[in-house]
Amino acid sequence: MINTVIPARGGSKAIPKKNVVPFLGRPLISYTIRQSETTDLVDQTYVSTDDDHIAEVSRKAGATIIDRPAELARDTSSTEEALLHALESIPESPEIVVLLQCTSPLRREDDLDEAIRLVKDEGYDSVVSCCEDHSFYWTYEDNTAVPINYDPAERKRRQDLDRRYQENGSIYVMKREILEEEQCRLGGSIGIHEMPKEMSFEIDTPEDYRIVEAIGKNIKFAAKDH
């Protein structure tokens, strides 16, 4: 059994009701629900929420609702707390849990299945979605800027830098026992599911929303035309 859990609490501050804000004409969360519902390997899609309106929208989009208690929906509540509560609420405990964040609506048709197969068929205990990162990074040490991943005196081309990946917040897949034992979405042998940079933006602020919606208008992504 493979189940998706989409956490969607109602207390967003930067964008009120962020999870159901209109995105390209439909509630934001509906894209993620549809992507999960139409993928080959997911058996059931759940939305964990404390908000009646989010629950109504999610139910209409095809998800089964998990009523999240208020103490697990505070600003300080972790996603892992919501996931573990969801496992207790799901009638038939899944072998594999897929965590999707609806604030990352841009996914390709095969992204979910490919990420799930890394756990189901390739032997990883958990998987995180990322995009390749060719950035030059700096930090401060003793009040002076210091390069992290390159030597300015021998500046490499970006494509010649050591390969790095940026976690994009879109897809997490884990064995149930890893989540329960580690109390964390990632643990054991961790695999990376690589996604394009243009599909690796999360909506946390109004500016993010404008950027992601502009990208969504101009690219094809799963559930865009449902």
Side-chain angles (χ1 to χ4, degrees):
M1 181 72 71
I2 300 174
N3 290 161
T4 292
V5 178
I6 303 168
R9 70 184 186 91
S12 174
K13 298 293 191 298
I15 304 177
K17 299 291 184 181
K18 174 175 64 177
N19 296 306
V20 291
V21 70
F23 182 84
L24 298 179
R26 291 195 299 275
L28 180 63
I29 198 170
S30 68
Y31 295 91
T32 296
I33 293 171
R34 181 66 176 170
Q35 289 159 0
S36 176
E37 285 286 281
T38 56
T39 197
D40 290 336
L41 297 178
V42 171
D43 297 298
Q44 187 72 40
T45 302
Y46 294 89
V47 168
S48 168
T49 186
D50 62 319
D51 186 276
D52 290 340
H53 180 50
I54 293 174
E56 179 183 359
V57 170
S58 300
R59 195 177 289 111
K60 288 180 178 178
T64 300
I65 305 305
I66 294 173
D67 293 320
R68 196 191 315 182
E71 61 268 22
L72 298 181
R74 301 187 180 104
D75 290 344
T76 56
S77 300
S78 70
T79 298
E80 275 75 8
E81 288 176 318
L83 286 174
L84 291 165
H85 173 261
L87 284 184
E88 295 173 356
S89 306
I90 293 171
E92 185 176 350
S93 190
E95 297 174 1
I96 294 174
V97 180
V98 181
L99 164 62
L100 299 180
Q101 300 190 134
C102 59
T103 47
S104 298
L106 306 182
R107 301 179 182 92
R108 297 167 296 182
E109 296 287 347
D110 295 329
D111 276 324
L112 294 187
D113 281 337
E114 289 179 5
I116 292 167
R117 287 192 183 100
L118 289 173
V119 173
K120 181 176 178 289
D121 301 326
E122 301 298 326
Y124 289 103
D125 295 312
S126 56
V127 165
V128 57
S129 61
C130 298
C131 61
E132 196 167 354
D133 188 345
H134 298 284
S135 301
F136 297 110
Y137 287 102
W138 291 73
T139 189
Y140 268 103
E141 293 181 6
D142 298 326
N143 204 35
T144 190
V146 177
I148 294 175
N149 64 328
Y150 82 109
D151 181 353
E154 298 181 7
R155 182 181 291 268
K156 296 180 179 180
R157 298 180 304 166
R158 289 179 182 271
Q159 58 267 37
D160 293 330
L161 292 171
D162 291 339
R163 201 170 191 187
R164 290 173 180 260
Y165 293 94
Q166 176 186 344
E167 187 173 333
N168 70 3
S170 182
I171 303 169
Y172 301 88
V173 184
M174 68 223 73
K175 293 179 179 177
R176 184 195 70 247
E177 60 264 30
I178 286 293
L179 176 59
E180 291 175 336
E181 291 170 7
E182 303 283 347
Q183 303 283 293
C184 181
R185 72 191 77 177
L186 296 172
S189 174
I190 302 172
I192 289 176
H193 171 67
E194 189 171 347
M195 294 176 65
K197 180 69 174 180
E198 66 267 21
M199 291 187 168
S200 295
F201 293 91
E202 299 179 73
I203 299 174
D204 289 318
T205 66
E207 181 182 17
D208 297 333
Y209 172 85
R210 292 190 292 271
I211 290 170
V212 177
E213 189 173 50
I215 294 171
K217 287 178 181 178
N218 292 284
I219 66 170
K220 180 180 180 181
F221 63 94
K224 180 177 182 179
D225 301 317
H226 77 274

